[in-house]
Amino acid sequence: MSTVKSSVNRVSLISDFKEITKMRLSLSVVFSALAGYLLGAIEVDIYTLILLAFGGYFMVGASNAFNQIIEKDLDVLMDRTKNRPIPAGRMSVRSAFIIATIFTILGITVLYIINERTAMYGAISIFLYTCVYTPLKTKTPLAVFVGAIPGAIPFMLGWVAARNDFGIEPGTLFALQFFWQFPHFWAIGWFLFDDYNKGGFYMLPTRKRDKGTAVQTIMYTIWTILISIVPVFGVTGDLKLSIVAAVIVFLLGLVMLYYAFELFKKRTAIAAKQLMLSSVIYITLIQIVYVADKFIR
């Protein structure tokens, strides 16, 4: 009986660890960082790739753990977060803080081994997410703007890890993922509107599920598409895109734009969820196309 109990406890501990660091989100961030590295690398170094993967995971895991500590009293109020380790009472604030602190130290240290700039941007990301974005979420919809900065850093971070330099190339990668954040998060804010309201979070630009929010979602989607094809014109330094890849990227963007218009027309939670899913598929495929195009050309 005790063996079964210890096994259950172990499974629960692993599950809570994954939850406090938001493993799925962290892995998607690592994917972005690795894509950025492959785009920037003149010669791919497996050792640097591994360091970037672990450093990126620690960085995002730390941000998420700090976020859940700060929002523990609000998480209790919302259906989607009330079963998280801290509000559910399965993990103490002290334990979460230890995890967050260790992850912060490990993340910055591992990224520093790659180069100083990578560590600096990693530290900026943790600071903005924890100390600016998280407190602003209950104050103003501008929190999404602030949150889009750390959210856009990983794609750029990979290039900086490869080149130890910041220029037009990582700037373009940053801009692409920065503008993408808005339709993505506003879609989430739309279909989780009632739940967010319970916690007092203001995620939508007009604070309402109205035409104003839908129009802004369309506008930022268009900006995302335009930035995504800029490399085809040869104005972004070493970040290049072939005409075939640019067409594919543009068509993928049109699919996302279609769902943004659907949200404008229907203004339903289902339409918002479809836009959110299309945005996730879009950013993933864009990164794959960018990397594939570099190595195929």
Side-chain angles (χ1 to χ4, degrees):
M1 190 72 176
S2 61
T3 307
V4 174
K5 191 174 180 182
S6 65
S7 178
V8 170
N9 287 339
R10 195 159 50 245
V11 170
S12 178
L13 275 173
I14 293 168
S15 176
D16 286 343
F17 178 80
K18 286 160 66 175
E19 183 71 28
I20 200 76
T21 60
K22 289 190 183 175
M23 184 172 274
R24 279 196 301 177
L25 173 63
S26 298
L27 290 176
S28 71
V29 168
V30 167
F31 182 85
S32 290
L34 295 182
Y37 173 81
L38 292 172
L39 287 171
I42 295 166
E43 284 186 19
V44 176
D45 179 56
I46 300 300
Y47 177 63
T48 304
L49 264 179
I50 293 168
L51 286 175
L52 185 60
F54 278 98
Y57 184 86
F58 289 139
M59 179 185 80
V60 186
S63 299
N64 290 325
F66 280 127
N67 171 267
Q68 289 181 53
I69 292 167
I70 295 165
E71 294 181 349
K72 65 184 190 302
D73 295 329
L74 300 175
D75 281 349
V76 178
L77 306 173
M78 297 182 287
D79 294 333
R80 71 183 186 88
T81 55
K82 65 185 179 184
N83 198 41
R84 282 177 174 173
I86 300 174
R90 296 190 308 274
M91 184 181 290
S92 67
V93 169
R94 183 172 175 272
S95 297
F97 185 77
I98 290 169
I99 291 171
T101 304
I102 291 172
F103 267 46
T104 300
I105 295 166
L106 286 174
I108 294 173
T109 302
V110 171
L111 294 178
Y112 188 84
I113 293 170
I114 298 172
N115 60 58
E116 293 175 14
R117 278 191 181 86
T118 306
M120 179 185 73
Y121 288 122
I124 289 170
S125 177
I126 295 171
F127 173 78
L128 286 176
Y129 191 89
T130 303
C131 301
V132 186
Y133 167 67
T134 297
L136 280 179
K137 281 164 70 180
T138 55
K139 304 287 190 298
T140 171
L142 285 174
V144 174
F145 177 87
V146 177
I149 298 171
I153 283 176
F155 202 14
M156 171 205 90
L157 194 75
W159 186 288
V160 175
R163 298 286 184 98
N164 193 17
D165 185 42
F166 184 87
I168 186 69
E169 302 94 343
T172 304
L173 298 179
F174 176 87
L176 170 55
Q177 198 146 322
F178 176 80
F179 281 99
W180 168 84
Q181 304 270 333
F182 293 91
H184 175 70
F185 277 112
W186 286 338
I188 294 171
W190 191 298
F191 73 78
L192 290 175
F193 184 80
D194 293 331
D195 211 25
Y196 274 127
N197 257 6
K198 293 175 188 174
F201 291 117
Y202 304 110
M203 303 303 287
L204 301 182
T206 65
R207 302 194 182 203
K208 298 174 186 174
R209 291 182 286 189
D210 58 8
K211 277 191 175 181
T213 289
V215 167
Q216 289 193 54
T217 301
I218 290 169
M219 292 307 298
Y220 276 88
T221 302
I222 292 170
W223 274 112
T224 303
I225 296 167
L226 292 176
I227 292 165
S228 72
I229 59 170
V230 164
V232 78
F233 299 107
V235 294
T236 52
D238 289 342
L239 180 65
K240 303 180 190 301
L241 206 59
S242 68
I243 292 172
V244 173
V247 169
I248 294 169
V249 164
F250 183 71
L251 291 174
L252 289 170
L254 289 184
V255 173
M256 186 173 156
L257 186 60
Y258 166 79
Y259 286 107
F261 272 106
E262 284 293 289
L263 179 63
F264 175 79
K265 284 196 294 184
K266 297 175 181 175
R267 296 202 292 283
T268 62
I270 292 172
K273 193 168 282 189
Q274 288 173 332
L275 173 59
M276 187 275 290
L277 289 170
S278 73
S279 71
V280 172
I281 293 167
Y282 168 83
I283 199 66
T284 305
L285 291 179
I286 288 296
Q287 290 166 353
I288 291 170
V289 170
Y290 266 54
V291 172
D293 184 59
K294 175 192 171 179
F295 288 97
I296 291 169
R297 262 188 287 114

